[in-house]
């Protein structure tokens, strides 16, 4: 059972436009959500996160929105740049345990065209 | 600052051969440590995690095993590799504080032939 779902395997946008990456989850115990960016043959790098007590978190060009009632979050990248082309993973955690396991989605490949 | 190392970077092994991948973390103490695998076209699958020396939890039954002989060392092993073990193996750590961010190493590309 996939608890974190990224239903779009790929997304293509023009440079300068907005990129919107979506993520849905099913586990109501998740209370922390993260986005990672991954280039080929490299480890994922942490981008931005949001606690379940918030509905928005912004860091430069990156904004994450959380809709708890819909169990949905999204990552907005504005403006998109060619260097943003990568696979983006959504992840969620249940902080009830100290080991902080993350459950990842399958990722969305973002391509930003010049 | 903290850094995480993995080696080797790439590995080609025949079916039935043993495996040992190593991960070390610098600049922190008593981290939580994790092994993930990313198979071709798939997401990140958690294989093992460890909250302390000698403490290993397995997430997925398989022919792999993990060990943590020292505080900042995490080893992934197999006695006999299968073709299905091919993939990109990632080690990660976090400090167990609220937030849950994990920080990943550069990964090891394993090809079983």
């Amino acid at each position: 059972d996939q608890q974190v779902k990224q239903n779009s395997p790929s997304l293509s946008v023009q440079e300068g436009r907005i990129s919107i990456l979506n993520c849905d989850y099913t586990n109501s115990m998740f209370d922390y959500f993260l986005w990672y960016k991954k280039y080929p043959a490299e480890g994922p790098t942490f981008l931005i996160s949001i606690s379940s007590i918030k509905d928005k978190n912004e860091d430069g060009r990156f904004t994450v929105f959380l809709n708890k009632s819909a169990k949905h979050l999204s990552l907005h990248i504005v403006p998109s740049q060619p260097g943003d082309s990568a696979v983006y993973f959504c992840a969620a955690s249940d902080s009830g345990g100290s080991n902080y396991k993350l459950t990842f989605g399958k990722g969305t490949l973002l391509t930003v065209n010049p | 600052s903290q850094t995480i190392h993995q080696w080797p970077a790439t590995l080609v092994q025949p079916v039935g051969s043993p495996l040992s991948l190593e991960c070390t973390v610098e600049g922190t103490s008593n981290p939580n440590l994790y092994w993930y695998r990313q198979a071709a076209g798939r997401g990140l699958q958690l294989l093992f995690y460890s909250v302390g020396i000698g403490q290993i939890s397995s997430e997925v039954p398989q022919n792999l095993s993990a060990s943590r002989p020292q505080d900042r060392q995490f080893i992934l092993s197999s006695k006999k590799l299968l073709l299905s073990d091919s993939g990109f193996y990632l080690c990660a750590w976090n400090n167990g504080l609220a937030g849950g961010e994990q920080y990943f190493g550069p990964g090891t590309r394993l090809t079983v032939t």
Side-chain angles (χ1 to χ4, degrees), chain A residues 32-34 36 38-46 49 87 89 93 95 97-107, chain B residues 32 34 36 38 41-44 46 49 51 59 88 90 94-107 109:
Chain A
Y32 204 78
F33 304 90
L34 309 91
Y36 283 81
K38 186 183 182 300
Y39 293 118
E42 294 184 9
T45 54
F46 170 71
S49 60
V87 176
F89 289 100
S93 71
S95 60
S98 62
N99 52 60
Y100 288 111
K101 291 192 293 182
L102 294 179
T103 301
F104 284 85
K106 292 190 174 183
Chain B
N32 296 330
Y34 307 83
Y36 289 87
Q38 183 185 19
R42 303 191 66 178
L44 298 173
L46 178 63
Y49 67 92
V51 300
E59 289 291 297
F88 193 54
L90 291 155
N94 74 6
N95 57 19
L97 296 179
E101 290 98 13
Q102 293 179 14
Y103 302 96
F104 286 82
R109 170 69 61 192

Side-chain angles (χ1 to χ4, degrees), chain A residues 3 10 13 19 34 39 41 51-53 62 86-88 96 109:
Chain A
Q3 298 185 63
S10 63
V13 300
S19 295
L34 309 91
Y39 293 118
S51 164
S52 59
I53 63 173
F62 302 91
V87 176
Y88 289 78
L109 173 62

